[in-house]
Each structure stands twice: as structure tokens, then as C-alpha cells.
Amino acid sequence: MRVNAIFIFIISLLTIILLIGILSDTPQRAVYFFFIGPFRNLFSFGNMLNASVPFILGALGIITAMKAGSLNLGGEGQCYLGAFITTVTALSLPHFGKAGIIICALAGSLSAGVLAGFSGYYKAKWNTSELITSFLLSCAVIPVINYLVTGPFLDPGTSLISTEKIHENMRFTQILRPSGLNTGFIIALVFVFIVKFFLDKTKTGYEFRMAGYNETFARYAGINVKINTVIAMTISGFLYGLAGSFAVFGTHYAVIKEFSAGLGWSGLTAALIAGFSPLAVIPGALFLAWINSGARIAMQNTGLTFEIAYIVQAVIFFFSTSLVLKNIIAKKRKE
């Protein structure tokens, strides 16, 4: 998989250079700001690292579900729901301080986990495709939260379409001023090792991997595949919800309307780049964050549009899925 990652990295760089050459009137300037911009100063570098946090947690959610033979496509709505419940809970507990962060993050993440868990339950009970149900539930939740954010919970004192901001004593500590990098980045890295330990060293993690590799064998081995499907999808949603909570505590301090747009696919892309390996999620997420940050800085300083980041991400997604399918076909031929 290391060779695949290097191949994707090279293809991505060539795609960026090609697109800049086609779309920019000042290609040399655009290339500089795209590639070097995120590393020019602490502000840009810290914001790039901070932008990787939801990619890390989202990718971990994808990997957890995939190891058990499921795929969670509802990350966008789960993240949005987790952020909203976190914010509402935090606004109700303004003076709980740092202890309140744990309570509110659990409330938001568990709500997202329950949402994803429904898809796991439908698959276990009626063999309904979790790809469809997770995506449809996400699509159903987003407009409901939009109504709440733009209606009952709208903060009239801000120019943004968002809820009221949480209290300052319930925010993550910034660690690289003047950027927005905060302790959420460190906690996200810790979760990488937690998920790695869970999947590799625990009984449930072993059952996930057996079910994902060969469900029929897992059933004959006495593994309750149905329950593990529900658990895996719930954990996946929990991690996406945690990404929403971290966005509230560390970046936005409120729920901005549809701030999680595209996060589900970004998490899936990071997981694909990582080859569904938890530890490889870190460089995969940082790579995506660098592309997004570079595109944004290039847009601010040249005539380049931010959509170049989406095009590159689509190219990464295409080649990553192609390589995954190739590996699956190769394994089946060996069997």
C-alpha cells in the first residue's frame, strides 16, 4: 500500500501543476502560494494542521466501519448533528469549564453514533445496504439542523448564519498562536492510537477484522456479525460526531450553517489514501489539509479558484478506489 500512496501523491502533484498551468494567468506565482503558502508562517501552518483534525477523525470512522465489512457514507450529517448537540449542550452548561467539554462532546458524539447505529441495525435486521441508509439519514438530518440553526437557535448578533457562541471557558486551548491550532489536534492524534489498539489488540476489534475479511467464516467461527455491524457503525458515527464537537470547541465555537459540507467524502478520501490503516491516516489527512490550505492561500493571492482542491480530491478519490478494487480482485484471484 506504500507504493500506492506514493503513486497517488505523485499523480496529485502533477494534477495540481497541470490545473494551475491551465487555469491561472500567473502560474509561477500560483504554484508558489499553493505549495509553499501553508508553510510560510505559523498562522498558515497552524491552520493547516487544525484543518486536518476532522479528516483524521472522519477517516478513523470510515476505517472502523470498513474493518467490520460496512461503509458509512453519512459522515457529513453525523458531524453536523454532533456539532449541533454539542453546542446546545454547551450553551446549557456555560460554567462547567473543561469538565463540560467532556460532557458536551460525549452528548454530541453519542447522538451521531446513534444516527449511524440505525444504519447498522437496519443492515443486521433486514440486510439493508448501509451505504444507502447512512447517506439518506444524513440527508434527512441536515435540513432539520439547518432549520434549527437558522430559526430557534440563530444568533442575531452575528453576521454569520450560526448559533450563539459557546462560553470561553469551554473552548480548547490554542497551542500555536496566532493560528487556530488547538489541543483538539493532539487529542485527534491520540484517537488514532486508540483506534489502532482497539482494532489490533482487542477481542471486538479482532471480530471486526474477521467479519470484514470473510463474513461467512466469521459466522462459522461463532462471531455475532450482526451485533458487531451495529457496534462498528455506531463507533464510526461517534468518531464523525467527535469531529463536529472538536470543530465547535476548537475552531468555530458555534454551529455555522452546513459547515460540515463535504466532510464525509474527505474522511473517506483520507481513509483511502491511508489504505484503511489507522496510523497512515495522519499523513493522509495532513496531505488533504495541505491541498485545501494551499488552494485557499493561492485563491487569496492569485486568480486561482478554490475549486481546484475539489478537483484534486476527486482525482485522489478516483485513483484510490481504483487501486483498492484492484487489490480486492487480486486477493480473490489468489483465493
Side-chain angles (χ1 to χ4, degrees):
M1 196 65 207
R2 186 179 301 172
V3 175
N4 293 347
I6 294 173
F7 173 76
I8 292 169
F9 178 74
I10 294 172
I11 289 294
S12 301
L13 296 184
L14 292 176
T15 302
I16 293 169
I17 295 172
L18 178 63
L19 289 172
I20 289 176
I22 296 172
L23 301 175
S24 177
D25 296 329
T26 56
Q28 291 182 340
R29 180 178 172 85
V31 166
Y32 169 78
F33 281 108
F34 196 106
F35 286 92
I36 307 301
F39 305 97
R40 288 187 307 162
N41 49 54
L42 289 179
F43 177 80
S44 299
F45 181 68
N47 285 340
M48 181 189 71
L49 294 180
N50 190 50
S52 70
V53 172
F55 301 156
I56 291 173
L57 295 172
L60 291 176
I62 291 291
I63 289 171
T64 304
M66 281 292 294
K67 290 296 184 181
S70 299
L71 181 57
N72 179 11
L73 292 184
E76 182 177 327
Q78 292 154 19
C79 177
Y80 203 18
L81 176 63
F84 180 75
I85 298 299
T86 295
T87 301
V88 171
T89 308
L91 292 174
S92 303
L93 307 171
H95 303 298
F96 273 57
K98 301 303 180 184
I101 292 178
I102 300 175
I103 297 171
C104 300
L106 283 174
S109 302
L110 287 173
S111 63
V114 170
L115 181 65
F118 278 124
S119 296
Y121 175 78
Y122 298 148
K123 181 180 181 180
K125 184 73 173 178
W126 297 293
N127 200 30
T128 306
S129 173
E130 78 284 0
L131 281 77
I132 297 174
T133 56
S134 61
F135 182 75
L136 291 180
L137 284 172
S138 174
C139 291
V141 164
I142 290 172
V144 174
I145 299 176
N146 281 344
Y147 163 75
L148 295 172
V149 171
T150 59
F153 292 91
L154 178 66
D155 182 10
T158 179
S159 58
L160 298 173
I161 304 177
S162 70
T163 63
E164 182 182 347
K165 289 189 175 183
I166 63 174
H167 197 276
E168 290 185 2
N169 65 359
M170 298 185 73
R171 301 176 183 179
F172 284 149
T173 303
Q174 288 184 287
I175 56 178
L176 194 62
R177 295 179 182 274
S179 75
L181 185 64
N182 54 77
T183 49
F185 177 72
I186 298 175
I187 301 173
L189 295 181
V190 171
F191 266 92
V192 170
F193 293 96
I194 291 174
V195 171
K196 172 69 174 175
F197 177 84
F198 170 75
L199 291 174
D200 290 352
K201 302 297 183 181
T202 67
K203 176 177 178 291
T204 303
Y206 173 78
E207 292 178 352
F208 280 11
R209 290 185 285 113
M210 287 299 99
Y213 183 75
N214 191 319
E215 183 176 333
T216 303
F217 174 80
R219 291 181 188 277
Y220 278 110
I223 295 173
N224 194 325
V225 175
K226 293 184 177 181
I227 289 181
N228 283 332
T229 297
V230 178
I231 295 173
M233 286 296 291
T234 301
I235 295 174
S236 179
F238 179 92
L239 290 166
Y240 265 117
L242 197 65
S245 297
F246 281 23
V248 172
F249 290 130
T251 305
H252 304 302
Y253 310 125
V255 177
I256 300 173
K257 182 183 176 183
E258 295 190 7
F259 80 93
S260 64
L263 178 58
W265 297 109
S266 296
L268 178 56
T269 304
L272 285 166
I273 295 173
F276 301 106
S277 170
L279 294 182
V281 160
I282 297 174
L286 289 173
F287 180 61
L288 279 185
W290 169 66
I291 290 175
N292 287 343
S293 298
R296 185 173 292 106
I297 293 171
M299 178 186 67
Q300 293 168 351
N301 292 276
T302 69
L304 201 66
T305 62
F306 182 74
E307 278 67 23
I308 189 174
Y310 297 131
I311 298 174
V312 175
Q313 185 169 324
V315 170
I316 294 172
F317 191 85
F318 173 77
F319 280 102
S320 297
T321 50
S322 299
L323 292 169
V324 169
L325 290 174
K326 180 181 177 181
N327 291 336
I328 292 173
I329 293 171
K331 285 183 180 179
K332 287 186 175 181
R333 285 178 177 174
K334 288 181 180 179
E335 292 174 359

